[in-house]
Amino acid sequence: MSTRGAIAYATGDGFRGVYHRWDSYPSGLGATLWERAHKTEDLGIMLHDLIENHPAGFSTIIREQECYCHSLGKEEPWEVTEKNAAGSGVEYVYAFDVVSRTMSILSSYTTYEGCEVKMIGMFGMGDPDATWRAITILDLDGPEPDWEALGEA
């Protein structure tokens, strides 16, 4: 499923990272990032590789790693932040804090007929006025979460 997401560093009041196109819901990209974080001793190195070494982002990292800048060789660098992500169709953000070894899973929400609802991005389009809400903040040294319970929009 083409659920768009972002892999990011948590910043003071937002996030900064790269785009991820396919299967970015929690049981897809979330579980993959969780697994990678547990296979590395240095979270900073993992994030540097995923974010700094692949500035154009990814088609996917789930089954095999396909980045837009190297594997597919067709995209310019694009920094994804809390300001531009939702308008580009990003539905989920996985924002890491290296010091506390946490991964915040954020989801975009929009207003529809007076109610706040989960924003669904489509073909690179979303709601630029959507807001970000933390679904959960995971301790990367704690137990693995129930990915399905975290939801899939």
Side-chain angles (χ1 to χ4, degrees):
M1 184 158 72
S2 187
T3 302
R4 284 126 176 105
I7 304 164
Y9 295 104
T11 62
D13 58 351
F15 54 86
R16 176 189 69 79
V18 296
Y19 179 75
H20 186 274
R21 180 170 182 189
W22 295 101
D23 301 324
S24 294
Y25 40 81
S27 65
L29 182 57
T32 297
L33 290 168
W34 173 271
E35 182 180 328
R36 283 190 178 200
H38 280 87
K39 287 183 178 178
T40 184
E41 290 185 24
D42 192 326
L43 186 60
I45 290 173
M46 180 192 95
L47 293 172
H48 182 82
D49 179 53
L50 289 171
I51 297 170
E52 309 304 331
N53 290 346
H54 299 283
F58 298 91
S59 174
T60 188
I61 66 165
I62 294 176
R63 286 167 283 291
E64 60 183 279
Q65 188 163 302
E66 292 181 354
C67 72
Y68 288 116
C69 45
H70 299 99
S71 304
L72 303 173
K74 61 183 180 179
E75 296 288 330
E76 295 296 318
W78 177 48
E79 184 174 74
V80 177
T81 69
E82 70 283 351
K83 294 177 180 140
N84 66 9
S88 301
V90 172
E91 296 181 43
Y92 292 100
V93 173
Y94 300 88
F96 291 85
D97 184 316
V98 175
V99 175
S100 66
R101 286 195 49 84
T102 58
M103 177 174 73
S104 296
I105 302 178
L106 310 173
S107 184
S108 53
Y109 287 82
T110 190
T111 301
Y112 178 73
E113 296 184 357
C115 297
E116 189 177 61
V117 296
K118 171 78 182 79
M119 186 200 81
I120 306 297
M122 178 180 263
F123 305 112
M125 297 182 298
D127 179 359
D129 297 322
T131 58
W132 292 98
R133 183 186 307 160
I135 295 173
T136 191
I137 300 173
L138 301 174
D139 177 351
L140 293 172
D141 296 320
E144 184 170 6
D146 177 350
W147 296 109
E148 298 299 327
L150 291 175
E152 296 187 18

